[in-house]
């Protein structure tokens, strides 16, 4: 039959395949606004791959397993990459006058006719899940740069500063050194794929067996390629040093630099850190996709970060204080800057002047004056902060307080009528106080200026497309601090792993926070230099939720897994 039609009900097939239970089917059938498959996906009763397989059987078509599949480049001449993305399809193979195409809906006869008219070939539709199709297109895009026929804007070009100070764009191929041809293509592909996979960092490490390249996605490292031959190491590192304007002859000391690339009509900053190791130089590249981040930050508010409602209410009260200091602590990559900008976005009504000084400016927001630190030109946090105070600000954000000089100026700013936001590195909210005393600041002034400290972490969220109920063993419950007798029958969830989450079972992250309010009693205890435990007990009495307690609440709510909370927070 030219256009296959179903002879069996989808629900009947899913029950027969033991994909769903009868009660799940009956609940999904009550949803009159969605098709059966969509309703089952929404209720997490079914995953995309199982639905695709059932649809394939229902319409008597083939099921396409797209794991690792890459579209042959010549097929994009028949169906362009842009059209494939738009239609949500993957051209798979051509045999004579027949073109095999993977699509999520085998009953879309309009799609079938459109493709046949366009290509002049007979189209054979096979079924694949939307997530698998999207992943296959991304792999193909990274491997062959198939979007070059869509627009020149998709090409990577290096942004360099011209003689007049204006940005100029040059192709990466022109920034070259002798014998680096294959390395140029490798770097281009690695950086392009990093952007497509939402990587925050690219790690290039060299060992005795070869070079490993890893991407950090949602806070966890994943292999980006197979192990590369060590003979390419020197050319690879040299290439990155040239792009970052580092000394290619110096291989014995650490070096830091940065470069900017133009991709898809947006500028992306890359911070490069080179570190000598036993087998050569290792490189970590921090990816700062400002335009992409800014698009997501335009409407960013504190309530969109996933912070517990009780903590959120207290945090908002602090951020609307007329003066004082609000500090956020956490490791690198824990979302501190995002939280600060969410707070500033809520305060940015146009009635007050808000100035930030950062290294570098990661988010670009209208209505806020943003100053980038430039150590080479002598613009440090301390010097910039002094200048900011002469510009009549109401709210100030200091990207990070690293030294005593900056800390003292920030404290004096908070004591003289400004509201100051900043970040500092410490393990928890209470440790921040002692961290400042080690910088040599006056303890009484600091405690008088400080309104609150918030420690935060980013925790991975279970992938919504492959989320499923799981049985948790007694040992894991005990390790996580739960009473097995009380929580053994609790409904726990994990992600099975699918194309949408790259097989990890997680997609995206949420914030957990520990907010310490400086009440009069806690201020007095700090001045008396009381112990950490005494201050924490007092804070808990006043309603503080620790990072561990916030993480446990996320697991109980089915947002994340017990393994993830044990990875991110310290088991009590």
């Amino acid at each position: 039959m030219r256009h296959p039609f179903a002879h069996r009900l989808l629900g009947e097939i899913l029950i027969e395949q033991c994909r769903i239970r009868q009660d799940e089917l009956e609940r999904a059938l009550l949803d009159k606004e969605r098709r059966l498959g969509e309703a089952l996906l929404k209720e997490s009763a079914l995953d995309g791959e199982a639905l695709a397989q059932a649809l394939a059987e229902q319409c008597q078509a083939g099921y396409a397993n797209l794991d690792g599949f890459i579209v042959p480049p010549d097929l994009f001449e028949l169906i362009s990459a842009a059209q494939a993305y738009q239609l949500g399809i993957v051209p798979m193979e051509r045999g004579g006058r027949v073109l095999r195409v993977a699509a999520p809906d085998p009953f879309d006869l309009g799609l079938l006719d459109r493709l046949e008219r366009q290509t002049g070939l007979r189209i054979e539709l096979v079924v694949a899940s939307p997530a698998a199709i999207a992943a296959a297109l991304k792999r193909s895009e990274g491997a062959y740069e198939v979007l070059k026929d869509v627009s020149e804007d998709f090409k990577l070009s290096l942004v360099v500063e011209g003689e007049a100070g204006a940005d100029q764009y040059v192709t990466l191929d022109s920034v070259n050194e002798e014998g680096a041809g294959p390395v140029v293509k490798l770097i281009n592909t690695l950086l392009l794929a990093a952007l497509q996979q939402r990587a925050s960092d690219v790690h290039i490490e060299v060992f005795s067996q070869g070079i490993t390249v890893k991407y950090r996605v949602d806070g966890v490292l994943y292999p980006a390629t197979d192990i590369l031959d060590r003979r390419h190491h020197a050319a690879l590192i040299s290439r990155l040093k040239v792009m970052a304007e580092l000394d290619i002859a110096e291989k014995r000391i650490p070096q830091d630099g940065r470069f900017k690339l133009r991709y898809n009509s947006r500028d992306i900053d890359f911070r490069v850190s080179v570190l000598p190791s036993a087998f050569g130089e290792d490189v970590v590249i921090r990816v700062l996709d400002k335009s992409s981040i800014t698009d997501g930050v335009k409407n960013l508010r504190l309530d969109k970060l996933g912070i517990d409602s009780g903590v959120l209410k207290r945090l908002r009260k602090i951020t609307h204080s007329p003066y004082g200091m609000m500090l956020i602590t956490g490791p690198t990559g824990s979302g501190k800057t995002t939280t600060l900008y969410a707070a500033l976005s809520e305060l940015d009504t146009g009635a007050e002047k808000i100035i930030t000084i950062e290294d570098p400016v990661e988010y670009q927001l209208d209505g806020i004056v943003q100053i980038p630190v430039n150590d080479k030109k002598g613009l440090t946090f301390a010097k910039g902060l002094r200048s900011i105070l002469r510009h009549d600000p109401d709210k100030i954000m200091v990207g990070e307080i690293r030294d005593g000089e900056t800390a003292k100026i920030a404290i004096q700013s908070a004591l003289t009528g400004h509201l100051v936001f900043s970040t500092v590195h410490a393990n928890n909210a209470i440790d921040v106080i002692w961290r400042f005393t080690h910088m040599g600041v006056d303890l009484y002034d600091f405690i008088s200026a400080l309104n609150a400290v918030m420690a935060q972490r980013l925790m991975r969220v279970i992938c919504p497309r492959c989320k499923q109920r799981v049985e948790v063993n007694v040992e894991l419950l005990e390790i996580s601090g739960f009473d097995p007798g009380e929580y053994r029958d609790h409904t726990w969830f994990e992600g099975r792993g699918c194309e949408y989450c790259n097989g990890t079972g997680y997609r995206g992250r949420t914030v957990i926070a520990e907010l310490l309010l400086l009440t009069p009693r806690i201020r007095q205890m700090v001045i008396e230099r009381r112990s950490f435990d005494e201050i924490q007990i007092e804070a808990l009495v006043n309603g503080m939720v620790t990072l561990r307690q916030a993480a446990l609440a996320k697991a109980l709510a089915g947002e994340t897994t017990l393994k993830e909370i044990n990875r991110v927070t310290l088991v009590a």
Side-chain angles (χ1 to χ4, degrees):
M1 185 177 294
R2 174 175 164 74
H3 297 307
F5 291 92
H7 296 285
R8 300 177 60 198
L9 296 175
L10 179 61
E12 176 186 333
I13 294 171
L14 291 170
I15 292 290
E16 182 181 289
Q17 294 178 347
C18 298
R19 301 285 191 181
I20 60 173
R21 301 190 306 270
Q22 184 65 38
D23 62 314
E24 292 174 327
L25 173 61
E26 292 172 358
R27 282 199 304 271
L29 289 172
L30 295 175
D31 189 340
K32 303 303 181 183
E33 296 181 0
R34 296 177 178 83
R35 298 165 68 178
L36 176 60
E38 295 172 348
L40 289 169
L41 289 175
K42 180 178 180 294
E43 296 297 325
S44 300
L46 190 68
D47 64 77
E49 292 305 313
L51 176 59
Q53 292 170 14
L55 285 172
E57 180 172 333
Q58 185 188 26
C59 68
Q60 300 176 6
Y63 164 73
N65 184 346
L66 297 179
D67 287 347
F69 178 78
I70 295 177
V71 179
D74 58 310
L75 294 188
F76 281 116
E77 296 177 5
L78 297 171
I79 301 174
S80 71
Q83 187 180 27
Y85 269 103
Q86 180 185 4
L87 299 176
I89 61 174
V90 170
M92 296 189 66
E93 61 180 344
R94 178 179 178 179
R97 300 294 302 168
V98 178
L99 178 63
R100 194 162 177 248
V101 176
D105 186 358
F107 302 108
D108 190 346
L109 302 184
L111 172 66
L112 193 67
D113 291 336
R114 175 179 177 178
L115 294 178
E116 288 189 345
R117 286 196 305 270
Q118 174 182 319
T119 63
L121 302 174
R122 185 167 71 83
I123 301 297
E124 177 188 336
L125 286 184
V126 292
V127 187
S129 70
I133 288 172
L137 288 174
K138 283 188 176 181
R139 279 193 299 270
S140 305
E141 176 187 336
Y144 297 108
E145 298 182 29
V146 296
L147 290 182
K148 65 184 178 183
D149 62 330
V150 181
S151 169
E152 288 297 316
D153 289 336
F154 283 99
K155 291 183 178 179
L156 288 171
S157 37
L158 189 67
V159 182
V160 296
E161 186 174 314
E163 294 182 0
D167 286 344
Q168 297 179 354
Y169 303 100
V170 298
T171 62
L172 281 177
D173 294 341
S174 67
V175 186
N176 202 355
E177 56 274 1
E178 185 179 352
V183 174
V184 170
K185 294 181 180 178
L186 175 61
I187 294 293
N188 290 3
T189 302
L190 289 176
L191 296 180
L192 192 61
L195 294 173
Q196 293 157 359
Q197 295 186 31
R198 305 178 298 110
S200 61
D201 302 86
V202 180
H203 290 243
I204 301 174
E205 302 168 340
V206 59
F207 301 100
S208 59
Q209 68 271 28
I211 306 167
T212 64
V213 182
K214 301 174 184 176
Y215 293 148
R216 186 178 294 279
V217 181
D218 290 337
V220 179
L221 289 173
Y222 300 101
T225 66
D226 294 332
I227 294 179
L228 306 176
D229 197 304
R230 274 185 64 186
R231 70 174 183 269
H232 302 301
H233 179 258
L236 186 65
I237 302 303
S238 177
R239 166 70 177 175
L240 289 169
K241 284 183 176 180
V242 168
M243 294 173 65
E245 299 182 344
L246 300 177
D247 185 355
I248 61 174
E250 182 57 73
K251 301 180 180 180
R252 296 164 298 177
I253 62 173
Q255 295 189 69
D256 295 302
R258 63 184 59 182
F259 60 89
K260 184 189 295 184
L261 294 182
R262 182 79 167 175
Y263 171 69
N264 190 17
S265 302
R266 67 182 193 263
D267 291 342
I268 300 115
D269 282 341
F270 296 83
R271 284 188 284 178
V272 180
S273 178
V274 182
L275 186 69
S277 69
F279 296 99
E281 292 176 292
D282 289 355
V283 178
V284 174
I285 307 170
R286 169 62 60 88
V287 182
L288 297 172
D289 190 352
K290 293 182 183 178
S291 300
S292 175
I293 294 171
T294 301
D295 289 341
V297 171
K298 285 179 180 177
N299 298 313
L300 183 61
R301 295 294 182 268
L302 289 169
D303 56 348
K304 295 184 179 181
L305 300 178
I307 299 174
D308 174 77
S309 59
V311 176
L312 177 62
K313 186 176 180 180
R314 291 181 164 203
L315 179 60
R316 275 203 166 121
K317 183 177 179 181
I318 293 299
T319 58
H320 286 80
S321 301
Y323 55 83
M325 178 182 285
M326 168 72 191
L327 296 174
I328 298 183
T329 185
T332 301
S334 61
K336 300 186 295 295
T337 306
T338 302
T339 301
L340 286 178
Y341 265 96
L344 292 181
S345 294
E346 293 191 357
L347 296 173
D348 185 20
T349 62
E352 296 181 309
K353 185 160 186 175
I354 302 174
I355 306 180
T356 76
I357 180 165
E358 306 165 68
D359 183 23
V361 174
E362 297 186 15
Y363 305 162
Q364 297 171 339
L365 293 179
D366 295 333
I368 295 178
V369 179
Q370 297 170 276
I371 303 170
V373 165
N374 190 334
D375 290 325
K376 292 181 180 179
K377 302 293 184 179
L379 179 54
T380 62
F381 277 115
K383 188 172 182 179
L385 187 53
R386 283 197 184 94
S387 298
I388 286 173
L389 294 174
R390 294 193 286 270
H391 278 251
D392 189 28
D394 296 291
K395 308 289 190 293
I396 302 170
M397 189 193 97
V398 183
E400 181 182 349
I401 294 178
R402 302 172 178 169
D403 55 76
E405 184 181 9
T406 306
K408 290 175 184 177
I409 301 171
I411 291 168
Q412 289 304 313
S413 302
L415 289 172
T416 53
H418 303 91
L419 182 60
V420 179
F421 297 88
S422 190
T423 71
V424 66
H425 288 284
N427 288 327
N428 54 61
I430 298 175
D431 281 346
V432 168
I433 297 171
W434 310 127
R435 177 88 171 81
F436 265 73
T437 60
H438 294 156
M439 292 184 188
V441 301
D442 183 87
L443 181 59
Y444 183 82
D445 283 350
F446 174 53
I447 292 304
S448 299
L450 188 61
N451 293 340
V453 182
M454 189 172 82
Q456 73 173 56
R457 300 291 188 275
L458 287 178
M459 180 174 293
R460 291 182 296 171
V461 177
I462 300 172
C463 174
R465 297 192 182 177
C466 62
K467 184 177 181 179
Q468 61 182 9
R469 299 179 181 90
V470 293
E471 295 290 334
V472 176
N473 59 48
V474 173
E475 183 180 1
L476 180 57
L477 285 171
E478 290 177 343
I479 291 174
S480 304
F482 286 104
D483 180 0
E486 183 179 355
Y487 289 97
R488 183 65 183 271
D489 296 330
H490 182 79
T491 302
W492 303 99
F493 293 92
E494 288 183 6
R496 189 186 64 259
C498 63
E499 287 283 351
Y500 185 63
C501 61
N502 292 323
T504 64
Y506 299 94
R507 176 79 181 191
R509 291 186 287 179
T510 187
V511 172
I512 54 171
E514 172 183 294
L515 182 62
L516 172 67
L517 299 181
L518 271 292
T519 63
R521 173 61 180 156
I522 288 180
R523 292 181 198 273
Q524 185 62 36
M525 293 178 73
V526 172
I527 291 173
E528 294 173 0
R529 296 186 180 272
R530 304 283 282 273
S531 69
F532 175 94
D533 289 340
E534 289 178 290
I535 295 174
Q536 184 178 53
I537 290 171
E538 177 64 24
L540 291 172
V541 169
N542 290 327
M544 184 182 82
V545 177
T546 66
L547 286 170
R548 182 65 183 179
Q549 290 170 338
L552 291 173
K554 295 283 187 184
L556 287 170
E559 296 180 37
T560 190
T561 66
L562 291 177
K563 295 175 184 176
E564 178 67 3
I565 68 171
N566 293 337
R567 183 186 72 85
V568 174
T569 61
L570 191 64
V571 179

